[in-house]
Amino acid sequence: MTAPHTGEAGIVGKSCVRSHGGGSRANRVPLCLEPLFAAHDYLARMLDLSVAKLLSDPSSHLGKAVRVKGWVRTRRDSKAGLSFVQLSDGSCFDALQIVAESSLANYAAEIQRLCAGCAIIVEGEVVPSHGKGQSVEVKASRVEVIGWVADPDTYPIQPKPHSFEYLREVAHLRPRTNTFGAIGRVRHCLAMAVHRFFHERGFCWIHTPIVTGNDCEGAGQMFRVSTLDFLNIPRTSEGKVDFSQDFFGRETHLTVSGQLNVETWCAALSKVYTFGPTFRAENSNTSRHLAEFWMIEPEIAFASLVEDAQLAEDLLKFMFTALLAERGDDMKFFADRIDKGCIARVESLVASPFERMDYSDGVRHLEAAIAKGHKFDYPVKWGTDLQSEHERYLTETLVGRPVILMNYPKEIKAFYMRQNDDGKTVAAMDILAPGIGEIVGGSQREERLDLLDRRIEEMGLDKAAYWWYRDLRRYGTVPHAGFGLGFERTIIYATGMANVRDVIPFARTPKSCEF
RNA sequence: UCCCUCAUAGCUCAAUUGGUAGAGCGGGCGGCUGUUAACCGCCAGGUUGCUGGUUCGAGUCCAGCUGGGGGAGCCA
């Protein structure tokens, strides 16, 4: 028996019928997954259901015939003549208990050989559960094995706690674990909340470029983008690499920020944001750094640092409100197994206003702490960047919740930040979060061309390279401001996960890009 | 990149002053049970990250390398 696999409607539905008893694994006929447009035959006699839908309203499904698809978490046999299969389709945290009785045709041959990782389709009736731990279960009338686990002995995901370090080595299978399933849903929930927040407030999502010809976007090492033949690099007469022969006819890199580009659209659409991947080629080996990470960068016209800070606070509160409302199941897991205080932390962030503090006042607080005997490894001095330990003191010890630190010395901040009237500081802000450090970095931008040019010169940058950025200040310039929110750091803060490598599907870090 | 630390079965870990490798989980088989981190018994499973050195003898000591973790810097 060979089932046609053409995917054509009409043919497939009927030819998918097959015997369930016996048959070696090797000879098993591959299942044809009915295309959606042929599914009405099935819909007519049973629901096609996600585990989330079923478990979110179990009583309304009681007594109904359903069809669920997913992957086996565990199987427990009872010699009373039935097996329990935990089925997960990733639609929610909980798995669905399937009860398969020995009267099923393929019980001995297949169901009793199910193990973690097997893909199955189950048809059956939703019934009240006899056991504890779940209110309903599905009494199977048919269990079809779609994909076996080739070698159960070495299937990397076992029904037991694994270390996150180990799971990074099997990043293609770690989405099947409780933790990473939860991370995937939380990440999606937060991303959609970001878009909803901005959309509801009249912002446009601007797709800023990934490849940039601007080699001075900001500090930090960039990844080169090139199609030149490494074994035969064209040279100029001075012996330098001849980038005029490269794909774009110039030297290009992966972007480290969408900000400069999004500012141009801000100067036309007023309220804009970017949300996409950014790339840093720094050799950073910490739990908070990735070479490829996602960042949200809004930019608002006719706005100052005050509105900028309020926007950042409102965005974070909106995201976390959505998280609590939509992913209570996953957050409960994080509270149970990862970080006991995570739900309380998210709730308190939503409930209380962020503390606002001038950099200068922050320094004064730190100096007062030292006077009272608090020990820091590094000295505190106005005009220098705060060390991690200083930031931690302010947000964790002094305030106990996020702090918006504002108006930094201009020497330690980027050239485009707006100079304050005191001549010493710029309208910059960082939001520091307990346990994480800097989660947001932003500023009001310098909209005055002469002052911008002076900073470009003072910092030894090439004015010509910023010609289009400077044009914005020549043609209808307006005060504007924006910030960057690190998406992975936000997820860490919400879930209590310890490492950014475990809140992104595939982490890119120095010496690590297997998947 | 710097400092500290780690690398033993598919996974999590043991192995005394250097004396030739062990448990739990997972897997296979059997038993038992409306089970739910199930339980009980048996079985299989290892070039101890790599390269070199010291030694009669190295999982153990030394050097280098590779990779992981923690901290720092850079930043989000």
Side-chain angles (χ1 to χ4, degrees):
Chain A
M1 180 175 88
T2 47
H5 221 106
T6 60
E8 282 175 41
I11 305 171
V12 180
K14 283 175 184 162
S15 41
C16 275
V17 176
R18 65 175 55 88
S19 68
H20 300 302
S24 72
R25 291 185 191 188
N27 292 335
R28 186 156 300 103
V29 175
L31 174 111
C32 8
L33 291 169
E34 297 79 6
L36 276 178
F37 47 79
H40 59 272
D41 292 333
Y42 289 86
L43 292 174
R45 54 191 169 86
M46 62 182 52
L47 293 169
D48 214 341
L49 203 58
S50 71
V51 174
K53 246 183 187 169
L54 201 169
L55 293 183
S56 69
D57 184 15
S59 55
S60 78
H61 291 93
L62 273 179
K64 299 221 169 105
V66 296
R67 184 170 196 259
V68 288
K69 310 165 184 173
W71 292 265
V72 173
R73 282 292 178 78
T74 61
R75 187 202 81 231
R76 297 177 295 274
D77 295 331
S78 165
K79 280 287 157 36
L82 66 165
S83 289
F84 301 93
V85 176
Q86 292 298 127
L87 178 78
S88 167
D89 65 1
S91 58
C92 60
F93 182 82
D94 286 322
L96 178 66
Q97 174 155 289
I98 308 296
V99 180
E101 299 190 337
S102 57
S103 55
L104 291 170
N106 61 340
Y107 183 76
E110 296 193 326
I111 291 172
Q112 285 198 301
R113 295 166 67 190
L114 288 173
C115 62
C118 289
I120 58 174
I121 293 180
V122 175
E123 294 170 1
E125 181 189 351
V126 180
V127 297
S129 180
H130 299 188
K132 288 171 185 155
Q134 61 281 318
S135 64
V136 297
E137 60 199 21
V138 169
K139 186 180 172 197
S141 57
R142 176 175 176 237
V143 174
E144 182 164 14
V145 182
I146 307 305
W148 287 100
V149 165
D151 184 3
D153 189 36
T154 59
Y155 180 62
I157 308 298
Q158 298 170 6
K160 55 166 273 189
H162 290 290
S163 70
F164 292 132
E165 292 81 12
Y166 165 71
L167 289 171
R168 281 175 215 149
E169 294 169 10
V170 287
H172 58 310
L173 296 170
R174 69 178 183 169
R176 301 184 184 191
T177 64
N178 281 334
T179 302
F180 286 91
I183 285 293
R185 289 181 295 271
V186 163
R187 195 178 163 101
H188 170 77
C189 165
L190 290 171
M192 295 312 290
V194 166
H195 288 305
R196 215 159 53 237
F197 173 85
F198 286 123
H199 179 68
E200 289 171 0
R201 284 157 184 75
F203 283 67
C204 278
W205 180 19
I206 305 298
H207 302 123
T208 51
I210 302 297
V211 177
T212 175
N214 192 344
D215 60 356
C216 22
E217 279 199 20
Q221 292 294 306
M222 300 172 83
F223 288 100
R224 182 180 303 290
V225 174
S226 174
T227 56
L228 293 179
D229 179 3
F230 282 13
L231 297 176
N232 184 24
I233 294 175
R235 303 276 177 178
T236 64
S237 51
E238 292 100 44
K240 294 184 173 165
V241 177
D242 184 4
F243 287 109
S244 73
Q245 294 188 44
D246 206 343
F247 185 88
F248 293 105
R250 62 184 298 162
E251 192 173 4
T252 49
H253 297 90
L254 293 181
T255 185
V256 296
S257 163
Q259 181 201 317
L260 299 191
N261 285 292
V262 90
E263 275 190 53
T264 70
W265 284 76
C266 175
L269 304 192
S270 302
K271 289 183 285 188
V272 296
Y273 71 105
T274 74
F275 187 4
T278 50
F279 307 86
R280 307 268 168 100
E282 259 126 29
N283 192 11
S284 295
N285 295 290
T286 81
S287 57
R288 292 172 196 78
H289 288 86
L290 293 164
E292 177 182 292
F293 66 99
W294 285 62
M295 188 155 61
I296 298 133
E297 297 177 286
E299 196 74 27
I300 43 178
F302 304 99
S304 72
L305 189 65
V306 174
E307 288 81 37
D308 198 36
Q310 191 60 49
L311 181 68
E313 177 175 351
D314 290 348
L315 170 62
L316 280 168
K317 287 182 172 175
F318 187 95
M319 290 169 72
F320 286 173
T321 300
L323 178 63
L324 292 170
E326 296 169 22
R327 291 266 57 105
D329 58 345
D330 294 319
M331 288 304 290
K332 182 178 179 304
F333 167 77
F334 288 118
D336 286 344
R337 294 296 176 86
I338 304 292
D339 175 12
K340 205 172 269 186
C342 69
I343 291 178
R345 183 170 60 243
V346 170
E347 284 173 342
S348 100
L349 181 138
V350 168
S352 53
F354 290 10
E355 183 82 15
R356 283 160 175 76
M357 186 186 295
D358 259 26
Y359 166 88
S360 299
D361 291 328
V363 169
R364 275 193 277 280
H365 282 300
L366 291 167
E367 285 168 347
I370 292 171
K372 275 188 275 178
H374 195 97
K375 294 269 181 275
F376 292 114
D377 290 336
Y378 291 85
V380 175
K381 184 164 169 269
W382 196 99
T384 61
D385 224 348
L386 300 182
Q387 300 290 320
S388 289
E389 56 173 351
H390 303 145
E391 296 182 345
R392 230 177 291 129
Y393 175 85
L394 292 176
T395 186
E396 292 171 12
T397 309
L398 187 66
V399 176
R401 52 179 210 282
V403 177
I404 309 181
L405 215 56
M406 308 166 93
N407 298 312
Y408 283 74
K410 65 179 180 184
E411 285 76 17
I412 57 172
K413 288 295 182 180
F415 74 93
Y416 52 74
M417 297 188 177
R418 191 179 196 277
Q419 297 165 64
N420 290 324
D421 293 341
D422 61 12
K424 295 188 296 187
T425 59
V426 290
M429 65 143 182
D430 285 355
I431 299 186
L432 311 176
I436 299 206
E438 186 177 346
I439 194 171
V440 167
S443 69
Q444 184 173 341
R445 320 307 190 188
E446 183 56 80
E447 85 280 12
R448 299 160 297 185
L449 183 61
D450 51 338
L451 288 160
L452 180 68
D453 282 348
R454 201 187 304 161
R455 288 300 289 151
I456 290 177
E457 280 160 24
E458 281 173 7
M459 298 179 97
L461 302 172
D462 177 17
K463 209 161 89 174
Y466 293 98
W467 70 272
W468 56 263
Y469 188 70
R470 294 175 62 250
D471 263 6
L472 296 177
R473 278 72 183 169
R474 298 173 63 206
Y475 305 129
T477 190
V478 293
H480 62 293
F483 62 84
L485 170 64
F487 193 50
E488 283 75 25
R489 288 186 183 179
T490 306
I491 300 172
I492 276 189
Y493 183 75
T495 59
M497 292 290 288
N499 197 311
V500 283
R501 293 165 194 177
D502 300 323
V503 298
I504 192 167
F506 297 98
R508 273 79 179 91
T509 55
K511 308 284 183 220
S512 176
C513 192
E514 173 71 18
F515 296 93

